Amino acid sequence: MQVTRSTFNEVMVPNYNPAEMVPVRGEGARVWDQNGVEYIDFAGGIAVNVLGHCHPELVKVLAEQGAKLWHLSNVFTNEPALRLAKKLNDATFSDKVYFANSGAEANEAALKLARRFALDHYNEDKDQIIAFTKGFHGRTFFTVTVGGQPAYSDGFGPKPGAIVHCEYNNLDSVKEMMSERTCAVMMEPMQGEGGIIVPDPEFVKGVRELCDQHNALLIFDEVQSGMGRTGALFEYMNLGVTPDILTTAKSLGGGFPVGAMLTTDRVSKSLKPGTHGSTYGGNPLACAVAEKVFDIVNNPEILEGVKHKEALFREKLAEINEKHHVFSEIRGKGMLLGCALNDTYKGRAKDFMVAANHEQLMCLIAGMDVIRFAPSLIITDEDIVEGLKRFERGIAKLIANS
Ligand code: PLP
């Protein structure tokens, strides 16, 4: 059966508007489309393909587990899930893990756990969730309402209640809002979708202290920032601030759908049997792949490499900017970088992304003003340099046609 991009409009719900080219194959940081045109991938499946496309060790473990046992449901446990949970607990602050299938599902579990914990330990009035404007936590109705972009949560009828938003990086706004009614604060330790915003470490420390003063749980959404992307296994380690609950997804499976919520023994006790669940969460196939991703990423050499690659990106992007004067700032950490457009080009991030795509480079945007790169953590220096040459060609053409 012949299918093309135009088939999309005939058979798919119109909530997405994918690029014109249809990718069919990937290897490392390179992707080929239906016409055999080759692209360099700085998008990484939106910060997911942490080891590039078709990493041989992931392909091997997927095939091995695929020939052994795919699925059981949570009526039974399984070896890959138990091993992965143990490794996550050994490497982080957590004692207990809940597996889900996506970032939104991991966050949904985190929010329900925080509400139930407050009910178990305090009273039913302690239900307020504090989150941040421009935050993003997924698209279920609870998580999208906690996210700080009303454009995503409006228009679906009555929203889940007791959710308020403060200004990111503004401790006073949290101080003013917080009270004994607050059951949890949910935040990204570095905002991704909101424009690659790196918080002041003192702000994050201050939020932790406020949570402790008011018996509120601190939830870090590391769905985008976690699993080595910032050069630490999780960004909380860079910040030196430990949450009570942490969620991870995206890079965790390297492209296989899986999410996880990590927490302490004490907090975990509120998710008693029957309180929450998922048919697929902790599926052996997903956990076998994620275990291999974890084994490869949780390695000082890989994490140091991320810092080196960040430096190379920054050096080349600065050269591009010296020539073309398009960015006001290069921000972010590790392999999650944002090029903020200056006043001349504000609002035109999508045009830059399309221009790059025409030069055979895949990249992302984070809002209307920021071009985002979230490539594989093991992308080669040659691919970085070549990808940025293509990016520069796209910029030059965009400027010439402006
Ligand atoms: N949390 C953060 C910080 C994210 O960046 C995203 C996705 O972009 C999500 C949650 C939602 O993850 P998913 O799309 O896997 O549900």
Side-chain angles (χ1 to χ4, degrees):
M1 189 196 294
Q2 185 70 21
V3 288
T4 64
R5 171 61 180 80
S6 65
T7 317
F8 182 93
N9 298 346
E10 291 163 29
V11 301
M12 304 288 251
V13 166
N15 61 317
Y16 303 118
N17 181 23
E20 281 306 313
M21 63 92 163
V22 179
V24 293
R25 188 167 71 83
E27 192 182 323
R30 306 247 172 177
V31 168
W32 289 263
D33 74 7
Q34 285 181 316
N35 302 317
V37 178
E38 167 262 329
Y39 293 80
I40 291 182
D41 186 1
F42 283 180
I46 317 188
V48 167
N49 297 69
V50 77
L51 298 172
H53 296 275
C54 297
H55 188 288
E57 289 195 53
L58 300 188
V59 173
K60 183 163 171 271
V61 78
L62 182 64
E64 280 171 4
Q65 188 62 40
K68 223 192 266 175
L69 188 67
W70 286 30
H71 177 72
L72 291 162
S73 87
N74 286 297
V75 175
F76 307 94
T77 190
N78 67 78
E79 292 178 353
L82 295 171
R83 283 198 304 265
L84 176 60
K86 189 155 180 10
K87 287 179 182 182
L88 286 165
N89 287 334
D90 286 349
T92 69
F93 74 96
S94 75
D95 307 307
K96 293 281 158 59
V97 176
Y98 167 83
F99 285 118
N101 308 290
S102 67
E105 279 188 29
N107 284 335
E108 185 83 18
L111 293 164
K112 285 177 71 178
L113 171 57
R115 283 266 177 85
R116 188 56 71 99
F117 180 83
L119 202 58
D120 286 349
H121 292 268
Y122 305 98
N123 57 63
E124 62 184 21
D125 292 331
K126 195 172 178 66
D127 60 0
Q128 183 194 57
I129 290 161
I130 294 181
F132 294 92
T133 47
K134 290 196 176 171
F136 186 80
H137 303 294
R139 296 282 198 158
T140 65
F141 208 14
F142 198 174
T143 58
V144 82
T145 307
V146 172
Q149 304 196 48
Y152 293 157
S153 55
D154 287 350
F156 299 102
K159 295 179 186 180
I163 297 164
V164 293
H165 294 93
C166 293
E167 195 186 333
Y168 198 67
N169 242 344
N170 179 343
L171 193 59
D172 286 339
S173 80
V174 185
K175 231 179 241 169
E176 263 170 43
M177 191 66 83
M178 209 181 260
S179 70
E180 288 314 303
R181 263 206 66 192
T182 309
C183 86
V185 174
M186 178 175 255
M187 67 185 286
E188 294 161 86
M190 168 167 142
Q191 283 191 334
E193 301 300 309
I196 311 293
I197 315 286
V198 179
D200 181 350
E202 290 312 309
F203 164 71
V204 185
K205 286 193 183 103
V207 173
R208 173 74 270 180
E209 282 164 17
L210 286 171
C211 285
D212 292 342
Q213 282 164 24
H214 294 280
N215 295 313
L217 297 178
L218 179 59
I219 307 170
F220 276 174
D221 176 346
E222 294 234 31
V223 167
Q224 189 154 164
S225 61
M227 284 300 293
R229 194 152 285 285
T230 62
L233 183 61
F234 289 101
E235 179 57 10
Y236 87 85
M237 298 168 172
N238 268 337
L239 288 164
V241 178
T242 304
D244 301 293
I245 302 175
L246 179 149
T247 56
T248 166
K250 288 193 184 276
S251 299
L252 179 64
F256 201 101
V258 60
M261 177 191 73
L262 280 53
T263 190
T264 59
D265 198 31
R266 173 169 173 262
V267 174
S268 75
K269 290 194 169 80
S270 287
L271 281 194
K272 296 180 182 67
T275 49
H276 192 57
S278 154
T279 298
Y280 291 115
N283 168 296
L285 209 47
C287 290
V289 175
E291 184 191 2
K292 182 56 77 179
V293 173
F294 183 88
D295 288 345
I296 298 173
V297 168
N298 189 28
N299 169 332
E301 230 172 89
I302 298 277
L303 298 174
E304 270 309 307
V306 169
K307 291 175 192 155
H308 160 79
K309 289 171 203 303
E310 174 187 345
L312 183 57
F313 260 101
R314 283 183 179 275
E315 180 196 319
K316 297 286 166 196
L317 286 167
E319 284 171 19
I320 291 175
N321 205 29
E322 257 172 49
K323 255 202 229 169
H324 299 286
H325 313 288
V326 282
F327 311 130
S328 59
E329 189 189 4
I330 308 298
R331 58 196 189 213
K333 274 192 202 172
M335 290 298 92
L336 186 53
L337 296 171
C339 310
L341 294 170
N342 64 23
D343 285 344
T344 313
Y345 297 97
K346 257 203 164 56
R348 295 192 62 191
K350 184 119 192 257
D351 294 343
F352 280 75
M353 183 180 80
V354 171
N357 209 252
H358 286 150
E359 298 304 317
Q360 298 165 234
L361 176 73
M362 295 155 76
C363 61
L364 300 164
I365 59 175
M368 314 290 274
D369 306 324
V370 179
I371 302 143
R372 176 173 35 155
F373 300 134
S376 156
L377 305 191
I378 54 168
I379 185 170
T380 61
D381 288 0
E382 293 73 30
D383 282 348
I384 294 174
V385 170
E386 173 58 23
L388 288 173
K389 275 189 191 150
R390 296 180 186 192
F391 187 49
E392 182 178 356
R393 280 205 297 273
I395 290 174
K397 285 190 189 167
L398 186 143
I399 293 171
N401 295 329
S402 283

